[in-house]
Amino acid sequence: MNELLHKKVQDAAQTLVADRRWLHSHAEISFQEKETTAWLCAQLEKIDGLTVSRPTATGAVATLSTGRPGPVVAFRADIDALAMTEATGLPYASQNPGAMHACGHDGHAAVLLSAARLLAGMRDELRGEVRFLFQHAEEVPPGGAAQLVAAGAVDGVEEVYGLHFTSSMPTGSFGVRSGVLTSATDRFDITVKGKGGHSAIPQECVDPVVIGAQIVLALQGIISRKLNPCEVAVLSICQVSGGSAYNIIPHTIQLTGSVRTFDQTVRENVERWIEEIARGIAQAQGGDIDFAYSYGYGFVVNDPALTEAAAAVIRETFGPQAVVPIGPQMPGEDFCHFLEKCPGFFVEVGAASPEKGITAPHHNPLYQLDEDALPLAAEYAAALLASRLKR
Ligand code: NI
């Protein structure tokens, strides 16, 4: 452990908690993080040595240049809240009905702000450059990461890091995984096309409801019968709509669903199988389908060497027990867009506390973040960045 850094983190802990509470109470949903961005920029501009820029309408980038040649490294925090109303009753609960930091992004932003202060204070000991990416709109595809990348925010960056607090691990643990970490999140839309008519004269119709029902059941066979059992995917049909009256066979109905995968070949196969099965069922009965499959966020794949380097920092800083190997995570992440530009590592930071009753899952109106996890995450981020930029 770097004793001096640890002491600085302890001294900054109160500010870190206060910053996080400010962000929490001023929750703003994706692409509308105006006040959040303005406040973050105001805090960043107070830090000696940082250059603050706003390459996108919301979101901000703070650059710390040491003036000495060296690696260019980025650390990203997402800053957006979810479109839901908070029910925690906390004194610092969201003041904005319909917007709640129920995924912990307020914590991510406060942690990165704290890390920026710590790194700026250490810049005489460092070389190269750090970019602190305060990214808007992680929750809503196409997401803010792609916009930041398109705006050049990570041009020249050689390594990119990120973190997410998680309610599935206790405070003090860091979930580490080399290779694929989060799933690709795709959407499909099937229009089942039949021939509408009178409910009493089905022989003159092609009933898209009956065809659609068969498709819903048959698609579940993709996961159980088509996919290699050693591979994983999720296929959920979440919206079924159609029809206008009890006695009219509709002309068409809509089926909409989501697919999650961890491998590009599996992703492409599932897409193909959905279309083949749905079209085959429809055509066998005189109908047809229109099919659309849209890619959402891709896979977050952690670089093996950077994973090991980050795990070593966690072990040195918090002890070997803090590194907890984890499996792939289903929630998607638009951090994948940064990884299209350079290698990186994304860690899951434990922030649940059963003793304090802080166990509600993310995206729940009762979600809470264990604030004791905040300084741990800040110390991790600062120690990791310092280790990559050591003179
Ligand atoms: Ni999140």
Side-chain angles (χ1 to χ4, degrees), residues 202-219:
Q203 73 276 19
E204 290 181 6
C205 302
V206 175
D207 187 346
V209 176
V210 172
I211 295 171
Q214 291 169 17
I215 290 172
V216 168
L217 292 174
L219 292 188

Side-chain angles (χ1 to χ4, degrees), residues 103 105 138-139 164:
C103 201
H105 299 187
E138 189 281 327
E139 295 286 358
H164 206 299

Side-chain angles (χ1 to χ4, degrees), residues 63 71 73 184:
T63 303
V73 177

Side-chain angles (χ1 to χ4, degrees), residues 169 172-176 311 314-315 317-325 347-348:
M169 284 170 31
S173 47
F174 288 76
V176 173
I314 296 166
R315 277 193 292 271
T317 310
F318 306 105
Q321 79 295 336
V323 176
V324 179
V347 71
E348 301 282 332

